[in-house]
Amino acid sequence: MGNKAIEITLMGRTYSIACPDGQETALRHVANNLEKQLMSLKARTNNISREEIAIMAALNTGYELLEEQQKNQDYNKQMDEKIGLLQSTLEDALVERSTKSD
């Protein structure tokens, strides 16, 4: 699978970004969300550099990712517990059935 360069604009600057074929829409979507976040941060802060705004956006995004990862871990743990309970229930039912058959 190859890469091709696409252009995205963030805070008035255009960047040429290498993107795997077929992922252009996803990258543009991420860039649009990032642009909204950057503009929101810029509007709420006074006299900070682009670099500082980018760092704040990266920290916000990293925190959101961490929260989602924790939710996924919690969900996986719940599913593992439910699967274990279901397996135990099925095993008990099979044992009970086999003892009644004897």
Side-chain angles (χ1 to χ4, degrees):
M1 193 179 253
N3 287 335
K4 71 178 195 180
I6 65 168
E7 290 188 353
I8 60 170
T9 302
L10 300 170
M11 295 183 65
R13 288 191 181 171
T14 301
Y15 301 89
S16 183
I17 307 292
C19 179
D21 289 337
Q23 298 299 312
E24 299 86 0
T25 301
L27 180 57
R28 289 186 196 285
H29 180 73
V30 169
N32 287 335
N33 287 343
L34 178 57
E35 175 71 2
K36 289 176 188 174
Q37 188 176 28
L38 292 169
M39 289 297 123
S40 174
L41 287 168
K42 184 178 178 182
R44 290 183 298 181
T45 57
N46 294 327
N47 300 326
I48 65 171
S49 70
R50 285 177 190 266
E51 181 180 88
E52 291 169 316
I53 292 171
I55 289 169
M56 290 171 58
L59 288 170
N60 287 340
T61 301
Y63 179 74
E64 290 170 6
L65 177 60
L66 183 64
E67 283 184 317
E68 289 302 315
Q69 288 172 336
Q70 185 61 51
K71 286 179 191 175
N72 283 338
Q73 287 175 355
D74 292 345
Y75 176 78
N76 287 339
K77 183 178 178 186
Q78 289 175 355
M79 289 301 108
D80 287 344
E81 289 171 0
K82 288 180 180 181
I83 289 169
L85 179 61
L86 181 58
Q87 286 175 330
S88 176
T89 302
L90 287 171
E91 288 169 3
D92 291 347
L94 289 172
V95 168
E96 185 178 317
R97 183 176 178 204
S98 69
T99 56
K100 286 183 180 179
S101 298
D102 293 339

mmCIF file of all heavy atoms in Angstrom, residues 19-51:
data_model
loop_
_atom_site.group_PDB
_atom_site.id
_atom_site.type_symbol
_atom_site.label_atom_id
_atom_site.label_comp_id
_atom_site.label_asym_id
_atom_site.label_seq_id
_atom_site.Cartn_x
_atom_site.Cartn_y
_atom_site.Cartn_z
ATOM 1 N N CYS A 19 0.133 10.323 3.498
ATOM 2 C CA CYS A 19 -1.041 9.603 3.981
ATOM 3 C C CYS A 19 -1.179 8.295 3.212
ATOM 4 O O CYS A 19 -1.101 8.284 1.981
ATOM 5 C CB CYS A 19 -2.270 10.483 3.778
ATOM 6 S SG CYS A 19 -3.813 9.740 4.296
ATOM 7 N N PRO A 20 -1.408 7.177 3.929
ATOM 8 C CA PRO A 20 -1.623 5.910 3.219
ATOM 9 C C PRO A 20 -2.842 5.992 2.299
ATOM 10 O O PRO A 20 -3.839 6.637 2.641
ATOM 11 C CB PRO A 20 -1.867 4.903 4.348
ATOM 12 C CG PRO A 20 -1.288 5.530 5.573
ATOM 13 C CD PRO A 20 -1.457 7.011 5.385
ATOM 14 N N ASP A 21 -2.737 5.342 1.168
ATOM 15 C CA ASP A 21 -3.862 5.307 0.229
ATOM 16 C C ASP A 21 -5.116 4.816 0.944
ATOM 17 O O ASP A 21 -5.071 3.854 1.720
ATOM 18 C CB ASP A 21 -3.558 4.378 -0.948
ATOM 19 C CG ASP A 21 -2.498 4.949 -1.883
ATOM 20 O OD1 ASP A 21 -2.307 6.181 -1.893
ATOM 21 O OD2 ASP A 21 -1.853 4.161 -2.598
ATOM 22 N N GLY A 22 -6.223 5.491 0.698
ATOM 23 C CA GLY A 22 -7.501 5.099 1.279
ATOM 24 C C GLY A 22 -7.776 5.721 2.640
ATOM 25 O O GLY A 22 -8.875 5.585 3.167
ATOM 26 N N GLN A 23 -6.799 6.407 3.221
ATOM 27 C CA GLN A 23 -6.978 7.008 4.550
ATOM 28 C C GLN A 23 -7.120 8.528 4.496
ATOM 29 O O GLN A 23 -7.136 9.188 5.530
ATOM 30 C CB GLN A 23 -5.787 6.638 5.445
ATOM 31 C CG GLN A 23 -5.656 5.156 5.689
ATOM 32 C CD GLN A 23 -6.880 4.579 6.387
ATOM 33 O OE1 GLN A 23 -7.352 5.128 7.382
ATOM 34 N NE2 GLN A 23 -7.416 3.507 5.858
ATOM 35 N N GLU A 24 -7.271 9.071 3.303
ATOM 36 C CA GLU A 24 -7.338 10.527 3.146
ATOM 37 C C GLU A 24 -8.517 11.135 3.892
ATOM 38 O O GLU A 24 -8.371 12.161 4.572
ATOM 39 C CB GLU A 24 -7.425 10.908 1.654
ATOM 40 C CG GLU A 24 -6.238 10.470 0.827
ATOM 41 C CD GLU A 24 -6.352 9.051 0.288
ATOM 42 O OE1 GLU A 24 -7.366 8.361 0.537
ATOM 43 O OE2 GLU A 24 -5.405 8.621 -0.394
ATOM 44 N N THR A 25 -9.677 10.503 3.786
ATOM 45 C CA THR A 25 -10.865 11.033 4.455
ATOM 46 C C THR A 25 -10.686 11.049 5.964
ATOM 47 O O THR A 25 -11.027 12.034 6.632
ATOM 48 C CB THR A 25 -12.117 10.211 4.071
ATOM 49 O OG1 THR A 25 -12.276 10.266 2.641
ATOM 50 C CG2 THR A 25 -13.364 10.755 4.729
ATOM 51 N N ALA A 26 -10.117 9.989 6.498
ATOM 52 C CA ALA A 26 -9.881 9.917 7.944
ATOM 53 C C ALA A 26 -8.907 11.007 8.385
ATOM 54 O O ALA A 26 -9.132 11.674 9.403
ATOM 55 C CB ALA A 26 -9.366 8.539 8.331
ATOM 56 N N LEU A 27 -7.830 11.202 7.631
ATOM 57 C CA LEU A 27 -6.853 12.226 7.991
ATOM 58 C C LEU A 27 -7.468 13.614 7.916
ATOM 59 O O LEU A 27 -7.252 14.446 8.794
ATOM 60 C CB LEU A 27 -5.615 12.137 7.100
ATOM 61 C CG LEU A 27 -4.517 13.165 7.388
ATOM 62 C CD1 LEU A 27 -4.049 13.096 8.837
ATOM 63 C CD2 LEU A 27 -3.342 12.980 6.437
ATOM 64 N N ARG A 28 -8.264 13.854 6.893
ATOM 65 C CA ARG A 28 -8.930 15.165 6.787
ATOM 66 C C ARG A 28 -9.905 15.383 7.948
ATOM 67 O O ARG A 28 -10.008 16.486 8.474
ATOM 68 C CB ARG A 28 -9.649 15.292 5.450
ATOM 69 C CG ARG A 28 -8.703 15.440 4.282
ATOM 70 C CD ARG A 28 -9.442 15.721 2.974
ATOM 71 N NE ARG A 28 -8.611 15.499 1.828
ATOM 72 C CZ ARG A 28 -7.643 16.317 1.420
ATOM 73 N NH1 ARG A 28 -7.382 17.401 2.097
ATOM 74 N NH2 ARG A 28 -6.924 16.036 0.344
ATOM 75 N N HIS A 29 -10.591 14.339 8.350
ATOM 76 C CA HIS A 29 -11.514 14.428 9.481
ATOM 77 C C HIS A 29 -10.754 14.787 10.768
ATOM 78 O O HIS A 29 -11.157 15.670 11.526
ATOM 79 C CB HIS A 29 -12.270 13.111 9.652
ATOM 80 C CG HIS A 29 -13.236 13.096 10.776
ATOM 81 N ND1 HIS A 29 -14.442 13.770 10.740
ATOM 82 C CD2 HIS A 29 -13.168 12.508 11.992
ATOM 83 C CE1 HIS A 29 -15.072 13.594 11.883
ATOM 84 N NE2 HIS A 29 -14.315 12.831 12.669
ATOM 85 N N VAL A 30 -9.631 14.104 10.997
ATOM 86 C CA VAL A 30 -8.794 14.386 12.171
ATOM 87 C C VAL A 30 -8.275 15.820 12.105
ATOM 88 O O VAL A 30 -8.290 16.549 13.105
ATOM 89 C CB VAL A 30 -7.633 13.374 12.275
ATOM 90 C CG1 VAL A 30 -6.612 13.811 13.310
ATOM 91 C CG2 VAL A 30 -8.167 11.990 12.596
ATOM 92 N N ALA A 31 -7.830 16.235 10.927
ATOM 93 C CA ALA A 31 -7.314 17.595 10.766
ATOM 94 C C ALA A 31 -8.397 18.632 11.039
ATOM 95 O O ALA A 31 -8.131 19.659 11.685
ATOM 96 C CB ALA A 31 -6.739 17.777 9.358
ATOM 97 N N ASN A 32 -9.615 18.372 10.580
ATOM 98 C CA ASN A 32 -10.714 19.309 10.837
ATOM 99 C C ASN A 32 -11.018 19.406 12.331
ATOM 100 O O ASN A 32 -11.235 20.503 12.860
ATOM 101 C CB ASN A 32 -11.972 18.896 10.075
ATOM 102 C CG ASN A 32 -11.870 19.162 8.593
ATOM 103 O OD1 ASN A 32 -11.115 20.024 8.154
ATOM 104 N ND2 ASN A 32 -12.620 18.416 7.811
ATOM 105 N N ASN A 33 -11.024 18.268 13.016
ATOM 106 C CA ASN A 33 -11.249 18.285 14.462
ATOM 107 C C ASN A 33 -10.126 19.020 15.183
ATOM 108 O O ASN A 33 -10.366 19.789 16.122
ATOM 109 C CB ASN A 33 -11.393 16.865 15.008
ATOM 110 C CG ASN A 33 -12.703 16.225 14.629
ATOM 111 O OD1 ASN A 33 -13.648 16.895 14.229
ATOM 112 N ND2 ASN A 33 -12.767 14.917 14.723
ATOM 113 N N LEU A 34 -8.891 18.790 14.752
ATOM 114 C CA LEU A 34 -7.748 19.470 15.355
ATOM 115 C C LEU A 34 -7.838 20.977 15.117
ATOM 116 O O LEU A 34 -7.592 21.771 16.031
ATOM 117 C CB LEU A 34 -6.438 18.916 14.804
ATOM 118 C CG LEU A 34 -5.160 19.574 15.313
ATOM 119 C CD1 LEU A 34 -5.059 19.507 16.832
ATOM 120 C CD2 LEU A 34 -3.941 18.932 14.659
ATOM 121 N N GLU A 35 -8.202 21.371 13.928
ATOM 122 C CA GLU A 35 -8.342 22.798 13.607
ATOM 123 C C GLU A 35 -9.378 23.455 14.522
ATOM 124 O O GLU A 35 -9.150 24.548 15.045
ATOM 125 C CB GLU A 35 -8.725 22.984 12.139
ATOM 126 C CG GLU A 35 -9.019 24.420 11.743
ATOM 127 C CD GLU A 35 -7.786 25.330 11.700
ATOM 128 O OE1 GLU A 35 -6.661 24.858 11.948
ATOM 129 O OE2 GLU A 35 -7.980 26.522 11.432
ATOM 130 N N LYS A 36 -10.496 22.789 14.746
ATOM 131 C CA LYS A 36 -11.516 23.328 15.661
ATOM 132 C C LYS A 36 -10.957 23.485 17.068
ATOM 133 O O LYS A 36 -11.183 24.492 17.731
ATOM 134 C CB LYS A 36 -12.748 22.417 15.681
ATOM 135 C CG LYS A 36 -13.554 22.457 14.423
ATOM 136 C CD LYS A 36 -14.693 21.448 14.475
ATOM 137 C CE LYS A 36 -15.375 21.345 13.130
ATOM 138 N NZ LYS A 36 -16.381 20.276 13.107
ATOM 139 N N GLN A 37 -10.215 22.477 17.516
ATOM 140 C CA GLN A 37 -9.635 22.527 18.854
ATOM 141 C C GLN A 37 -8.598 23.645 18.950
ATOM 142 O O GLN A 37 -8.564 24.396 19.931
ATOM 143 C CB GLN A 37 -9.014 21.179 19.212
ATOM 144 C CG GLN A 37 -8.559 21.095 20.648
ATOM 145 C CD GLN A 37 -8.024 19.721 21.016
ATOM 146 O OE1 GLN A 37 -7.526 18.997 20.174
ATOM 147 N NE2 GLN A 37 -8.128 19.384 22.277
ATOM 148 N N LEU A 38 -7.753 23.777 17.935
ATOM 149 C CA LEU A 38 -6.747 24.838 17.929
ATOM 150 C C LEU A 38 -7.395 26.215 17.947
ATOM 151 O O LEU A 38 -6.967 27.106 18.703
ATOM 152 C CB LEU A 38 -5.835 24.700 16.707
ATOM 153 C CG LEU A 38 -4.908 23.483 16.673
ATOM 154 C CD1 LEU A 38 -4.278 23.333 15.298
ATOM 155 C CD2 LEU A 38 -3.854 23.572 17.764
ATOM 156 N N MET A 39 -8.417 26.409 17.140
ATOM 157 C CA MET A 39 -9.096 27.703 17.088
ATOM 158 C C MET A 39 -9.792 28.013 18.414
ATOM 159 O O MET A 39 -9.794 29.154 18.874
ATOM 160 C CB MET A 39 -10.096 27.737 15.925
ATOM 161 C CG MET A 39 -9.444 27.799 14.563
ATOM 162 S SD MET A 39 -8.499 29.313 14.360
ATOM 163 C CE MET A 39 -6.893 28.695 13.975
ATOM 164 N N SER A 40 -10.357 26.993 19.036
ATOM 165 C CA SER A 40 -11.004 27.180 20.328
ATOM 166 C C SER A 40 -9.979 27.587 21.390
ATOM 167 O O SER A 40 -10.218 28.511 22.180
ATOM 168 C CB SER A 40 -11.720 25.895 20.738
ATOM 169 O OG SER A 40 -12.244 26.007 22.033
ATOM 170 N N LEU A 41 -8.846 26.904 21.402
ATOM 171 C CA LEU A 41 -7.795 27.257 22.352
ATOM 172 C C LEU A 41 -7.259 28.655 22.094
ATOM 173 O O LEU A 41 -7.028 29.426 23.032
ATOM 174 C CB LEU A 41 -6.647 26.242 22.274
ATOM 175 C CG LEU A 41 -6.923 24.868 22.869
ATOM 176 C CD1 LEU A 41 -5.839 23.879 22.459
ATOM 177 C CD2 LEU A 41 -7.026 24.951 24.385
ATOM 178 N N LYS A 42 -7.073 28.985 20.841
ATOM 179 C CA LYS A 42 -6.563 30.309 20.487
ATOM 180 C C LYS A 42 -7.527 31.394 20.946
ATOM 181 O O LYS A 42 -7.099 32.433 21.470
ATOM 182 C CB LYS A 42 -6.344 30.401 18.974
ATOM 183 C CG LYS A 42 -5.727 31.694 18.520
ATOM 184 C CD LYS A 42 -5.494 31.695 17.026
ATOM 185 C CE LYS A 42 -4.912 33.024 16.590
ATOM 186 N NZ LYS A 42 -4.710 33.066 15.143
ATOM 187 N N ALA A 43 -8.816 31.150 20.798
ATOM 188 C CA ALA A 43 -9.822 32.141 21.192
ATOM 189 C C ALA A 43 -9.884 32.310 22.711
ATOM 190 O O ALA A 43 -10.214 33.388 23.201
ATOM 191 C CB ALA A 43 -11.192 31.736 20.653
ATOM 192 N N ARG A 44 -9.561 31.260 23.457
ATOM 193 C CA ARG A 44 -9.654 31.316 24.918
ATOM 194 C C ARG A 44 -8.381 31.795 25.593
ATOM 195 O O ARG A 44 -8.378 32.032 26.798
ATOM 196 C CB ARG A 44 -10.017 29.937 25.479
ATOM 197 C CG ARG A 44 -11.432 29.519 25.156
ATOM 198 C CD ARG A 44 -11.741 28.202 25.781
ATOM 199 N NE ARG A 44 -10.830 27.199 25.218
ATOM 200 C CZ ARG A 44 -10.828 25.930 25.536
ATOM 201 N NH1 ARG A 44 -11.640 25.473 26.438
ATOM 202 N NH2 ARG A 44 -9.983 25.078 24.975
ATOM 203 N N THR A 45 -7.301 31.872 24.866
ATOM 204 C CA THR A 45 -6.031 32.242 25.477
ATOM 205 C C THR A 45 -5.523 33.542 24.872
ATOM 206 O O THR A 45 -5.831 33.874 23.733
ATOM 207 C CB THR A 45 -4.980 31.143 25.277
ATOM 208 O OG1 THR A 45 -4.832 30.890 23.882
ATOM 209 C CG2 THR A 45 -5.367 29.871 25.991
ATOM 210 N N ASN A 46 -4.740 34.239 25.643
ATOM 211 C CA ASN A 46 -4.187 35.508 25.168
ATOM 212 C C ASN A 46 -2.697 35.383 24.912
ATOM 213 O O ASN A 46 -1.949 34.903 25.756
ATOM 214 C CB ASN A 46 -4.412 36.610 26.209
ATOM 215 C CG ASN A 46 -5.876 36.933 26.392
ATOM 216 O OD1 ASN A 46 -6.646 36.859 25.447
ATOM 217 N ND2 ASN A 46 -6.254 37.292 27.602
ATOM 218 N N ASN A 47 -2.291 35.839 23.755
ATOM 219 C CA ASN A 47 -0.874 36.001 23.430
ATOM 220 C C ASN A 47 -0.004 34.779 23.710
ATOM 221 O O ASN A 47 1.050 34.894 24.325
ATOM 222 C CB ASN A 47 -0.307 37.212 24.177
ATOM 223 C CG ASN A 47 -1.020 38.487 23.795
ATOM 224 O OD1 ASN A 47 -1.443 38.653 22.659
ATOM 225 N ND2 ASN A 47 -1.159 39.386 24.751
ATOM 226 N N ILE A 48 -0.435 33.615 23.275
ATOM 227 C CA ILE A 48 0.467 32.474 23.352
ATOM 228 C C ILE A 48 0.806 32.038 21.931
ATOM 229 O O ILE A 48 0.051 32.264 20.993
ATOM 230 C CB ILE A 48 -0.084 31.304 24.196
ATOM 231 C CG1 ILE A 48 -1.327 30.680 23.567
ATOM 232 C CG2 ILE A 48 -0.351 31.735 25.614
ATOM 233 C CD1 ILE A 48 -1.747 29.393 24.264
ATOM 234 N N SER A 49 1.949 31.431 21.802
ATOM 235 C CA SER A 49 2.453 31.079 20.474
ATOM 236 C C SER A 49 1.698 29.896 19.880
ATOM 237 O O SER A 49 1.014 29.152 20.581
ATOM 238 C CB SER A 49 3.947 30.745 20.576
ATOM 239 O OG SER A 49 4.114 29.520 21.280
ATOM 240 N N ARG A 50 1.887 29.727 18.594
ATOM 241 C CA ARG A 50 1.322 28.554 17.908
ATOM 242 C C ARG A 50 1.821 27.273 18.562
ATOM 243 O O ARG A 50 1.082 26.316 18.706
ATOM 244 C CB ARG A 50 1.748 28.533 16.435
ATOM 245 C CG ARG A 50 1.074 29.500 15.549
ATOM 246 C CD ARG A 50 1.697 29.370 14.152
ATOM 247 N NE ARG A 50 1.260 30.440 13.304
ATOM 248 C CZ ARG A 50 0.215 30.350 12.488
ATOM 249 N NH1 ARG A 50 -0.466 29.242 12.411
ATOM 250 N NH2 ARG A 50 -0.136 31.374 11.748
ATOM 251 N N GLU A 51 3.093 27.274 18.916
ATOM 252 C CA GLU A 51 3.690 26.093 19.531
ATOM 253 C C GLU A 51 2.991 25.758 20.845
ATOM 254 O O GLU A 51 2.676 24.598 21.109
ATOM 255 C CB GLU A 51 5.181 26.335 19.774
ATOM 256 C CG GLU A 51 5.900 25.156 20.383
ATOM 257 C CD GLU A 51 7.368 25.451 20.602
ATOM 258 O OE1 GLU A 51 7.684 25.981 21.688
ATOM 259 O OE2 GLU A 51 8.165 25.155 19.694
#
